[in-house]
Every structure is written in structure tokens, then in C-alpha cells.
């Protein structure tokens, strides 16, 4: 029996890592090997050579391939790459000091810019391990988001959960659909003055370089260049960036890391510590406090810095009560028709 042939046949339909990911993994492994050699203490014969503890790479979560995650077949292939990219993501940052009421963190924590840049590295490493999302004309990028709403100061009822779904058109020739706001008419289409864009092709054209992204975002607001920004302009730019991540759960490759890196360059961030993501993971919020009761925050896992979703406080339509909504991407894929589930 030829075990290697069986292994090749078993893994034949799995997408291999892209060449940039392979090269980056090789470089990091080589650099790690050099560091280990430099730190190794000489051993004199005939004493036994001490055995180094074996490093265990992180295990990637298992998800169905049709939903955009990695299947069990690809785990063996991605373990080596995951171990190499762990160096790029970096060790978990020290946790910001948390208060029970979820207010801003104390001075002991790392700067918000460090958290955002680490989250950008994490997102870029994750993207390198998945096949690219490339919808063809006439297709749609389907996404499903888990949302958790908790009443703040209104009628009792605790919390409720629901799904938010969207179908993003491949190009502006077709309309997209989203039901995130539970509206009867969820049609959504790209217009020259609209933000964020409502089709994949226009999203892919957004600049990835921070200054260029800021200038692009500003064109939908005050129209100033970053060097001309005042306090109100920075708040407006932050609002546009958060709108992008909150309205479009799945973005073209490189756009999520670029948005996080751009936000890291802002002169000030509102910090919300001691909170949880939609799935219950301990999180740190970085975002924008528009005004009391309407703040919006990007959530990051306190251990890995992974971007988890968006937290926003909203007002109810009746009796002026408020609730907090947190969201988390659950699944995504490419489909052939709008409003058709995979």
C-alpha cells in the first residue's frame, strides 16, 4: 500500500497556501531557528544533550468549507503555517485594567494603537490561510451575523439573539440586500456619494495605505486631507471606518487589516474594557463615543487581539428605552442569487 499516494488523494481538493504565505512562513521559521541556535548553551561530551520542549502550534478552528472556514482536511496543512504566523501575530498583549462598569481602562494597559496593530496582523495572518473570495459578475457574497441585544434601561426581558443576513453584489450593476435593520425593504446599492459601497468590486478599490484610506474616507465627509484634520474631522473619519466594518461583515482581502491599521493612527480612541463579545468572549472595545447612549466600539479578544465584531448602544423606537447590540460574523460564502441561502 502506498500511504503517500493515499494522502495525496485524500487532500487533492484542498487549496494550498498562497506563495506569499509560504514564503513568510519559511522566513519566520528560519529566523526562529537562528534565534534558538544563538541562545543554545554548549553541551560538553559525553553528557547527554538536553531535549528541548516541543512547541505546539495553535489549532485552527474547524468549520465547514462552504461557510468560509477551514475543514478538517486543511488543518494538517495549515498547522505549520499557523505556527509560523503566530510570531507575526505576537504574544498576547497585557490586558487593560478592567472596571466592573465597563468604562475606559486605566493607565496600566498597552496603548490602543498596539491592540489595533496586533489585531491587523492577526487578521492578515488569517486571510493568508484561506482561499481568496472572488465573486464573479452576477454572484453575491452571502454573510450571516449573530447578534445579541441586551436591554439597558427599558422594559425587562434580559437579552435576545437573532441573525442578520446580507447578500453583497459582485459589482454595482446589481443591487445588494441586507436585513440588518429588520426593514421591509433592504435593497442596497452603490451610489457615488454613498458610504460604505454596496458591491464587492467598489469595496476592493478602497486604498489600503492609511493616509490614502483616510483621504478616501474623508471625501464622503468634510473632504479634508489628514494633515488638515481637526478633532471633529477625526471623529467623522472614525465614524466612517466603523460604518464600514459594521455594515459589511466580510471584506475583500487586505481591507480589514488596513482599516484597523488606519484606525491605529488616530490621535485618540475611546476605550471600553470589561465587556464581552456576542459569543461571550472577554473583549476590549475601541471606538467612538458619538454622544451619551450612542457609542460604537470595535471589539477585540483580550487574549489574542482577534477582531470579534461591533458593539453599539441604540435607542428603542418606543418609550425612549435603550439596548446594547453586539455582533459577530458567523459564516459566509459565495452564492448565485440574491436572497437565496446556501
Amino acid at each position: 500500500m502506498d500511504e503517500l499516494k493515499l494522502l495525496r488523494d485524500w487532500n487533492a481538493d484542498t487549496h494550498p497556501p498562497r506563495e506569499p504565505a509560504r514564503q513568510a512562513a519559511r522566513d519566520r521559521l528560519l529566523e526562529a531557528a537562528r534565534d534558538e541556535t544563538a541562545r543554545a548553551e554548549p553541551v560538553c561530551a559525553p553528557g547527554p544533550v538536553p531535549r528541548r520542549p516541543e512547541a505546539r502550534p495553535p489549532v485552527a478552528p474547524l468549520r465547514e468549507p462552504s461557510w468560509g472556514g477551514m475543514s478538517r482536511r486543511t488543518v494538517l496543512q495549515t498547522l505549520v503555517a499557523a505556527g509560523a504566523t503566530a510570531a507575526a501575530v505576537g504574544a498576547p498583549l497585557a490586558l487593560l485594567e478592567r472596571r466592573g462598569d465597563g468604562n475606559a481602562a486605566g493607565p496600566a494597559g498597552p496603548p490602543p494603537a498596539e491592540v489595533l496593530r496586533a489585531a491587523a496582523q492577526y487578521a492578515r495572518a488569517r486571510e493568508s490561510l484561506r482561499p481568496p473570495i472572488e465573486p464573479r459578475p452576477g454572484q453575491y457574497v452571502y454573510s450571516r451575523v449573530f447578534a445579541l441585544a441586551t436591554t439597558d434601561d427599558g422594559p425587562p426581558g434580559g437579552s435576545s439573539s437573532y441573525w442578520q443576513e446580507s447578500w453583497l453584489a459582485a459589482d454595482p450593476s446589481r443591487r445588494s440586500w441586507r436585513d440588518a435593520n429588520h426593514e421591509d425593504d433592504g435593497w442596497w446599492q452603490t451610489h457615488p456619494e454613498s458610504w460604505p459601497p454596496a458591491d464587492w468590486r467598489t469595496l476592493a478599490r478602497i486604498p489600503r495605505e492609511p493616509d490614502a484610506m483616510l483621504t478616501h474616507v474623508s471625501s464622503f465627509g468634510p473632504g479634508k486631507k489628514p494633515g488638515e484634520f481637526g478633532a471633529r474631522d477625526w471623529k467623522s473619519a472614525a465614524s466612517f471606518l466603523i460604518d464600514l466594518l459594521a455594515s459589511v461583515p466580510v471584506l475583500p482581502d487586505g481591507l480589514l487589516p488596513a482599516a484597523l491599521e488606519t484606525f491605529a493612527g488616530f490621535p485618540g480612541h475611546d476605550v471600553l474594557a470589561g465587556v464581552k463579545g456576542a459569543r461571550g468572549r472577554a473583549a476590549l472595545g475601541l471606538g467612538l463615543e458619538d454622544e451619551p447612549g450612542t457609542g460604537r466600539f470595535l471589539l477585540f479578544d483580550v487574549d489574542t487581539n482577534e477582531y470579534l465584531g461591533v458593539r453599539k448602544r441604540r435607542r428603542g423606537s418606543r418609550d425612549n428605552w435603550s439596548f446594547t447590540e453586539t455582533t459577530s460574523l458567523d459564516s459566509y460564502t459565495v452564492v448565485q442569487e440574491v436572497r437565496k441561502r446556501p
Side-chain angles (χ1 to χ4, degrees):
M1 180 181 295
D2 189 346
E3 289 84 356
L4 290 178
K5 183 178 185 303
L6 289 176
L7 183 60
R8 284 195 299 268
D9 293 341
W10 171 67
N11 203 33
D13 60 344
T14 301
H15 293 277
R18 287 175 285 181
E19 186 56 33
R22 292 185 182 184
Q23 186 59 47
R26 294 191 196 101
D27 293 343
R28 294 189 187 98
L29 288 174
L30 182 58
E31 183 178 353
R34 289 171 177 160
D35 290 343
E36 289 293 333
T37 302
R39 290 195 298 267
E41 297 180 0
V43 179
C44 299
V49 178
R51 184 176 179 179
R52 292 185 179 276
E54 192 171 60
R56 299 181 62 187
V59 178
L62 305 180
R63 302 178 66 188
E64 291 297 325
S66 59
W67 295 113
M70 287 181 287
S71 69
R72 285 175 170 80
R73 287 185 174 185
T74 58
V75 171
L76 292 177
Q77 184 180 6
T78 57
L79 282 179
V80 174
T85 55
V89 175
L93 296 173
L95 303 186
L96 290 172
E97 179 184 347
R98 287 184 277 169
R99 302 177 183 173
D101 57 0
N103 288 330
E114 287 188 30
V115 178
L116 287 162
R117 292 191 178 100
Q121 289 180 324
Y122 189 103
R124 190 169 284 113
R126 286 280 296 271
E127 287 181 356
S128 70
L129 296 176
R130 75 179 188 196
I133 307 171
E134 297 174 342
R136 297 189 301 273
Q139 293 184 326
Y140 297 82
V141 177
Y142 168 81
S143 62
R144 186 171 74 163
V145 170
F146 176 76
L148 180 68
T150 304
T151 303
D152 296 327
D153 55 7
S159 61
S160 61
S161 61
Y162 45 90
W163 299 105
Q164 299 175 345
E165 296 176 295
S166 64
W167 288 259
L168 190 69
D171 58 71
S173 66
R174 297 173 183 262
R175 293 186 299 176
S176 301
W177 175 274
R178 61 179 175 180
D179 64 358
N181 297 322
H182 306 283
E183 300 172 348
D184 294 333
D185 184 6
W187 290 113
W188 182 34
Q189 192 164 16
T190 298
H191 299 287
E193 69 281 358
S194 65
W195 179 265
D199 71 276
W200 192 261
R201 189 174 71 185
T202 306
L203 283 168
R205 293 174 177 171
I206 297 176
R208 269 54 166 187
E209 197 276 330
D211 282 346
M213 177 175 280
L214 271 178
T215 301
H216 181 81
V217 166
S218 179
S219 67
F220 295 92
K224 297 180 181 178
K225 295 182 179 180
E228 304 169 338
F229 277 13
R232 181 172 296 182
D233 302 315
W234 286 110
K235 180 167 286 192
S236 175
S239 178
F240 281 119
L241 285 177
I242 295 175
D243 279 344
L244 173 65
L245 303 186
S247 302
V248 190
V250 180
L251 295 168
D253 282 0
L255 196 52
L256 172 59
L260 297 176
E261 287 176 342
T262 301
F263 196 27
F266 278 43
H269 304 85
D270 292 323
V271 180
L272 194 66
V275 296
K276 292 184 177 181
R279 297 292 191 178
R281 294 165 64 176
L284 171 71
L286 298 175
L288 171 69
E289 192 75 37
D290 294 326
E291 57 186 49
T294 60
R296 295 175 298 164
F297 293 85
L298 305 179
L299 299 181
F300 302 92
D301 186 280
V302 296
D303 292 322
T304 64
N305 303 305
E306 177 186 2
Y307 169 65
L308 300 179
V310 178
R311 182 184 193 271
K312 53 187 175 183
R313 196 177 185 198
R314 303 175 62 178
R315 288 285 176 185
S317 57
R318 293 179 294 180
D319 301 326
N320 201 32
W321 55 274
S322 66
F323 64 97
T324 297
E325 180 186 75
T326 55
T327 58
S328 175
L329 176 64
D330 177 75
S331 55
Y332 61 90
T333 190
V334 175
V335 296
Q336 303 299 323
E337 298 181 51
V338 67
R339 302 179 70 180
K340 296 292 184 180
R341 295 178 179 86

